[in-house]
Amino acid sequence: MSEWDETVDFLVVGSGAAAMAAGIRAHDLGMRTLLVEKGEAYGGSSAMSGGVCWVGNNPHMKKYGIVDSDGEVLTYLKAITKGEVEERYLVTYRDESRRMIEYMARKTHLAFDALDRYTDYYPEAPGGKMGGRSMEPVPFDGALLGADFEALRRPAASALVLGKFMITARLAKRMIMLDLLAMMQMAWLLLLFFLRSGKRRRCGGRDPYLTNGNALVARLRLSLKDRGVPLWLRAPRRELVSEGGRVVGAVVVRDGKATRVRARRGVLLAAGGFERNLSMRQRYGPAPASVEWTAGNEHNTGDGILAGMDLGAATALMDEAWWTPTTQLPGARSGWVLVVEKSLPGGIFVSRRGERFTNEAAPYVDVVVEMYRDQKKTGGSIPGWMIFDGRYRKKYIAGPVGPGKVMPDSSLGRKLRTQFLVKASSIEELAGKLDVPASTLKATVEHFNGMARRGKDEDFHRGESASDRYYGDDRVSPNPCLAPLDTAPYYAIPLFPGDLGTKGGLVTDTRGRVQDAEGRAILGLYAAGNTSASIMGRTYPGAGGTIGPAMCFGFLSAEDAAERGDQDQPIDRTSAVVDLPDAGDMG
Ligand SMILES: Cc1cc2nc3c(=O)[nH]c(=O)nc-3n(C[C@H](O)[C@H](O)[C@H](O)COP(=O)(O)OP(=O)(O)OC[C@H]3O[C@@H](n4cnc5c(N)ncnc54)[C@H](O)[C@@H]3O)c2cc1C
């Protein structure tokens, strides 16, 4: 018989969106709940992210007059997953994600606003929408977390304006163009930042105005705190403990000591994906692989997936990721996502042979799939290059390099100028600096320029989908994603097949129960988020298509554990919380 150091009903491994949604629901169902986090900060990739959550037919769409229906949502999910995902998962997600966010809105500090113009990634597919299914968290005052603010994982560098401010996705879309209005908004932000410096000092040097994934996780963290649910930091789960074929707990390292935690109703593995585990990436993913092109959390090393596999769990989609093109700063160990840049007119992606290989403005998963396909065919696209001309440089961002209007070349730091941004006075000279065949690059640019002037990308159809155009420049016509590269100087930045995290993992049923190779549930074991194989298959429905399912299936796992767990151990339902007033909105 095991000896235990701690006993809870539900043990949650991880502290990202999946884990926190599960922790809240588990507590409210009367389960004694504990979250354990390997890192020194909580929130995982969820905190670093845009925090956008995709939920079809969600209650926030009405505010913008957007009509949706359950039928359209299912039609869409079926169309984009192309028969690769069983319908029961799609129906569960459609129905339960909405119930989950409605629950969170009533019972927690979590608040969302629909992004009415953020299109689904395949809006022209049957059931697709031109906006509203992607929702972003309402900005939040991090100071309300008190001492817990300090340990909130910081946003990805790419999510900060000028390396300092967090802004909402709605404002970010407006500011891309940096017209007069955006300039004024920027000046206003600088003033606000200045005025808030006192509060910032009191908050350990961090601006407490939180948006995106930081707002999402801070809101969830405060909701856990209200409930008194403990979250142990620097506490990696080391192994699972099974008895009689049932997972009954885990060994967690706490303060350097192995601590045996009994979990009477189950263990949820919500420890993220394996984006930072090189041997797993090399074993399962496409080649070449790296752990430095990803933008995901540094601690996501596949621990949860490996633990499940040790117990005989089945896995799926292990070659997949939430792909996105990234660039990389010299010496950085993470990718810098290029989500906006790929749609803006005046830039293209090319292989080291100097050829385009895809519609750059396509959904980011598809861009990287095409990059790997080209690599397999020609061996020459990883790494590749994003190239653009002087007009692009002046108006738009290129990774960490702000628009030349506000950040001219002369103002760039030495590292950026000498080790990142490549500059040349002609395409031929640029090709020489990049070690790309000059005649091919010249021909590629000339051919592209002809198509751009006509507003039609006959090769890859860039700008034809409304989703391509979301980050295009509306002032450019006839195609907001196309402009010729014809204004010297010319520039390039490196391009990698990055990701926002991996999406292959443990196979679960529609309640988050981990399955073995015969399709039987491993009793007491649950998985959610990127530890589980994605219910979106090989696709991405729209912004928020990973956080939505992570939270939904974390939530459902908790409900299943409460219903199904060890019936000899009744749970105390009197601890369920009452409705909470919302707090901390900084909208
Ligand atoms: C820059 C960026 C922007 C993004 N934007 C969006 C977006 O707007 N919308 C969207 O849907 N998706 C977005 N994503 C993807 C999304 O953030 C992730 O897919 C999602 O947050 C994964 O959630 P999770 O709960 O599975 O894992 P995570 O949030 O990564 O949490 C896993 C946690 O488990 C911990 N852990 C790992 N191993 C152990 C262990 N052994 N013991 C204890 N703890 C452990 C990790 O440290 C981590 O804190 C973005 C990602 C990035 C990087």
Side-chain angles (χ1 to χ4, degrees), residues 37-38 44-46 49-50 52 237 271 295 297 300 303 530 544 546-547:
E37 163 59 46
K38 176 182 178 180
S45 294
S46 307
S49 77
V52 177
R237 179 217 50 83
N297 172 39
N300 292 358
D303 302 7
N530 290 346
T546 110
I547 286 178

Side-chain angles (χ1 to χ4, degrees), residues 86-169:
E86 285 176 55
E87 192 167 329
R88 63 192 170 115
Y89 290 99
L90 305 178
V91 171
T92 301
Y93 184 63
R94 177 194 66 184
D95 298 341
E96 303 289 26
S97 60
R98 192 172 55 228
R99 184 170 67 86
M100 180 272 296
I101 60 153
E102 283 170 350
Y103 181 90
M104 293 289 175
R106 276 200 324 275
K107 303 269 189 187
T108 78
H109 297 286
L110 193 56
F112 282 114
D113 183 22
L115 292 164
D116 53 317
R117 292 179 56 212
Y118 208 152
T119 68
D120 285 345
Y121 285 163
Y122 305 93
E124 292 83 13
K129 285 279 160 206
M130 295 299 286
R133 289 172 173 166
S134 296
M135 308 175 297
E136 72 170 328
V138 175
F140 182 75
D141 182 0
L144 291 172
L145 284 171
D148 287 317
F149 182 43
E150 178 83 21
L152 171 62
R153 186 161 291 284
R154 309 259 165 151
S158 56
L160 294 172
V161 178
L162 300 178
K164 287 188 170 59
F165 312 110
M166 301 200 73
I167 58 172
T168 59

